[in-house]
Amino acid sequence: MTRRLVLEQVTADHRAAIEALARTVESVDRGTWNVAREPGKWTPAEIAQHLILSYGPPLAELSGGAGYSVRLPWWKRTVLRWKVLPKILYAEKFPKDAPAPREARPKQGAASPEEAARLLREKAGEFVRRLSEANALGPVRLTHSYFGKLTAPQILKLMSVHAHHHRAQLPA
């Protein structure tokens, strides 16, 4: 198996991950929508909002604006790129209790499961479309708070694993 990520494959994987996540979000009972699974954890509404917000900075960066702010010095990013990023991209394991970048921390939850699922599909679809358009013009690199610049396939794969990670936190 090659360790090279192919944009077309990770795009298809991302679409599947988002659709599975959106269906899970839609299935969350309204009675548990604003109830955390345990103290100090996000509610399903906040998890959904976090996932929706996570597309904002890369979409802004694709438009020439500011993406995620880099939060770590170069040497820490280098260590994370060598030790953590391969586990996410190739073993598809997201670090437990990894802190969310400030830009993607929900201040409130999404209004309803249906609204959250719609917004998630919309933002993810817009991101894939715009990323593909930009990448057709030349290689794209987008900023991640903890890893620095990532290629288009890397960022899409990371977002797919991120979706699976949070899907597992939602009530079945």
Side-chain angles (χ1 to χ4, degrees), residues 2-64:
T2 180
R3 287 178 57 100
R4 185 173 164 264
L5 297 173
V6 178
L7 185 59
E8 293 78 17
Q9 182 60 52
V10 295
T11 299
D13 293 346
H14 180 262
R15 284 188 175 115
I18 294 303
E19 186 53 35
L21 173 63
R23 287 183 183 178
T24 300
V25 166
E26 288 170 328
S27 75
V28 175
D29 181 82
R30 284 181 178 254
T32 61
W33 184 240
N34 288 302
V35 178
R37 67 184 194 282
E38 57 185 78
K41 298 293 183 183
W42 286 342
T43 67
E46 290 168 326
I47 290 170
Q49 189 64 28
H50 162 68
L51 290 157
I52 293 163
L53 291 172
S54 70
Y55 288 97
L59 280 166
E61 192 170 3
L62 283 169
S63 296

Side-chain angles (χ1 to χ4, degrees), residues 17 21 32 35 42 52 69 74 87 89 97 127 131 151 158:
L21 173 63
T32 61
V35 178
W42 286 342
I52 293 163
S69 295
W74 69 268
K87 289 178 185 173
L89 299 181
D97 297 325
F127 178 68
L131 182 65
T151 65
L158 182 130

